[in-house]
Amino acid sequence: MSKDQTDRDLITLLQANARESTANLARKLGIARTTVVARLARLEREGVIVGYTARLGLDDERPRVQAYVGITLSPKSSRDVIRKLHKIPELLQLSSVSGEFDYIAMLRADTTARLDQLLDEIGEIDGVLKTTTSVVLAVRIDRSP
């Protein structure tokens, strides 16, 4: 089933605050609370909404260094490389991309020394030809859940 404007508005409200009550969502959308509940159930069932999460603020216990790593692979090595990358807990996201790299990985580490170790580990994986790293200095806009 395709999403209508109400579905898109509901999703936008949830992205801003996933803890918003169904009553408040209904009030903001100008629809009945039961309609919100039914739409949420349908969006979850269809896989449009796959979960709810808590975003943490910065504090001393969270890793402080984040980097994006462009990874270039040798031909036909993707499956093995991905399997090995999957074992790295500091790797938050791996995306296949077009352009200069085959993949871009997002890493988050406690220290620059740990980030350096991670980059060495990735570079030593059979099939990885080259990595190019950009360390995040500051996040200016973050709309991720």
Side-chain angles (χ1 to χ4, degrees):
M1 184 173 183
S2 65
K3 296 184 299 291
D4 63 10
Q5 187 59 47
T6 303
D7 287 339
R8 289 189 291 275
D9 292 343
L10 176 58
I11 291 166
T12 299
L13 289 171
L14 288 172
Q15 286 176 313
N17 180 6
R19 291 187 49 137
E20 188 83 62
S21 71
T22 53
N24 283 341
L25 292 168
R27 193 178 305 93
K28 290 177 180 180
L29 294 170
I31 60 177
R33 187 189 67 75
T34 54
T35 303
V36 170
V37 171
R39 284 178 179 259
L40 287 173
R42 180 178 47 80
L43 292 168
E44 290 171 359
R45 188 175 54 253
E46 292 175 353
V48 175
I49 296 174
V50 294
Y52 301 86
T53 186
R55 291 178 58 199
L56 303 176
L58 295 176
D59 61 30
D60 289 337
E61 295 180 24
R62 284 190 61 205
R64 298 178 187 204
V65 183
Q66 185 171 316
Y68 291 94
V69 182
I71 304 171
T72 304
L73 304 180
S74 59
K76 300 181 182 180
S77 64
S78 289
R79 191 172 295 145
D80 291 333
V81 171
I82 291 171
R83 192 173 324 119
K84 291 174 183 169
L85 289 172
H86 194 270
K87 296 177 183 178
I88 299 173
E90 292 93 341
L91 192 148
L92 302 180
Q93 186 177 62
L94 181 68
S95 301
S96 58
V97 296
S98 63
E100 182 180 350
F101 312 111
D102 297 305
Y103 293 95
I104 293 182
M106 182 193 318
L107 300 175
R108 189 175 293 149
D110 292 325
T111 64
T112 54
R114 177 61 184 147
L115 178 61
D116 188 48
Q117 290 173 341
L118 291 168
L119 295 172
D120 285 346
E121 286 177 33
I122 292 170
E124 292 171 1
I125 295 173
D126 286 336
V128 172
L129 297 177
K130 174 181 145 185
T131 62
T132 303
T133 304
S134 294
V135 175
V136 175
L137 301 176
V139 176
R140 302 295 183 192
I141 297 172
D142 184 0
R143 292 189 177 114
S144 63

